[in-house]
Amino acid sequence: SYTLQAEAGVYDYKIKKFGYATVTGKAVIVENETLNIVLTKLPVLTFNISDETGAATDVKITIGSEQLAKDVLSYPVYPGVVDYTVRKYGYQSVRKTIVVNADKTEEITLQKMQEHTIAFNVTDADGMPLSGVALSLANVNLSTNSIDTIPGFYSYSVKKEGYIPVHEAVFLEAENVKVDVVMYPTDYFDYELVIINDITNLPFSKVSPNGKYLSGNWGTRNAVHNTETGESQSITPAATS
């Protein structure tokens, strides 16, 4: 029991206990008053979650708008319609709406997401393949020019001694992706200023020896522009003389 002192009047109250329905009401205090309140235990929703290895770990569950701590598999819920989502990296999410009126257990088997290939085609400014490049995807170094992975948004970098590093990103959906990367020598744009704004209306300021590639920057982005195809590619860091 709990006792408190209060002046005569009308008071709002709320009583909460984990696993029980919250009770709210008004108390009219004239003199000493006793409130008899019975808490109602909530039904517990429990998840038995497995993957191809057995009992799944590193699972995240959301019930309604409540994000449970990782690997918490039981939680009290109010009776009625309940929405939940079960997530694990690399697996398809499970979303379901159920009706809960008493303790209930959900049996869930997670399915791995299908992997697809990201393949990098790295060439120089003349379209010739470059070997000996260092590739990384999501800060993981690659031993080959391709990798099988689950759908998602990935940053990548391409480096080679004597060339300007390339830092970009690729979005992998439900099919294989080929990423064409053009690399330029570090001194590729160290030439006289050439005014060529009439080509694309961008502030390009340098031109390659063959007159085919232009470089420039706007804002925080730097790029090269192919005057034959009209295509531009961002590069990092900026090529400066």
Side-chain angles (χ1 to χ4, degrees):
S1 64
Y2 298 88
T3 302
L4 58 85
Q5 292 184 339
E7 295 180 354
V10 179
Y11 295 88
D12 294 321
Y13 66 85
K14 177 185 289 187
I15 301 174
K16 298 175 67 175
K17 181 179 180 180
F18 181 76
Y20 291 79
T22 298
V23 176
T24 60
K26 289 184 180 294
V28 179
I29 306 298
V30 177
E31 50 186 28
N32 292 339
E33 299 287 348
T34 299
L35 300 178
N36 294 313
I37 297 172
V38 178
L39 298 180
T40 302
K41 190 173 179 63
L42 294 174
V44 175
L45 180 58
T46 300
F47 297 87
N48 287 337
I49 305 173
S50 60
D51 54 27
E52 77 283 359
T53 65
T57 58
D58 296 325
V59 174
K60 294 182 179 180
I61 300 172
T62 301
I63 299 178
S65 59
E66 182 78 17
Q67 172 73 60
L68 308 190
K70 186 173 68 173
D71 289 335
V72 171
L73 302 179
S74 295
Y75 203 76
V77 297
Y78 277 86
V81 177
V82 175
D83 297 319
Y84 70 78
T85 302
V86 178
R87 296 183 178 87
K88 180 178 179 178
Y89 179 77
Y91 291 79
Q92 297 177 21
S93 296
V94 175
R95 297 179 176 85
K96 195 172 180 182
T97 299
I98 60 175
V99 176
V100 178
N101 291 313
D103 290 352
K104 188 178 183 69
T105 299
E106 288 287 283
E107 302 286 344
I108 297 174
T109 301
L110 297 176
Q111 303 294 328
K112 291 198 73 171
M113 298 178 72
Q114 183 177 354
E115 294 185 339
H116 298 281
T117 301
I118 300 177
F120 294 90
N121 176 42
V122 185
T123 63
D124 62 17
D126 296 316
M128 299 301 294
L130 283 177
S131 60
V133 298
L135 279 165
S136 67
L137 186 76
N139 295 320
V140 176
N141 294 330
L142 305 184
S143 58
T144 66
N145 280 24
S146 65
I147 184 173
D148 292 335
T149 187
I150 63 174
F153 189 80
Y154 296 93
S155 61
Y156 67 84
S157 67
V158 186
K159 300 178 180 178
K160 181 177 173 65
E161 185 176 356
Y163 286 79
I164 301 169
V166 175
H167 304 282
E168 283 293 342
V170 58
F171 183 62
L172 178 65
E173 295 186 273
E175 58 185 17
N176 298 337
V177 171
K178 178 185 175 185
V179 181
D180 291 316
V181 179
V182 180
M183 301 194 74
Y184 304 89
T186 53
D187 61 352
Y188 200 73
F189 302 109
D190 292 341
Y191 301 95
E192 294 297 324
L193 177 68
V194 177
I195 304 299
I196 42 78
N197 285 347
D198 59 324
I199 293 180
T200 62
N201 253 351
L202 293 173
F204 291 106
S205 59
K206 300 179 185 294
V207 62
S208 62
N210 58 15
K212 180 178 177 182
Y213 292 93
L214 315 168
S215 75
N217 66 81
W218 51 98
T220 59
R221 303 298 294 174
N222 299 274
V224 291
H225 180 78
N226 188 319
T227 58
E228 293 183 355
T229 66
E231 296 179 350
S232 295
Q233 176 185 341
S234 61
I235 57 175
T236 305
T240 57
S241 57

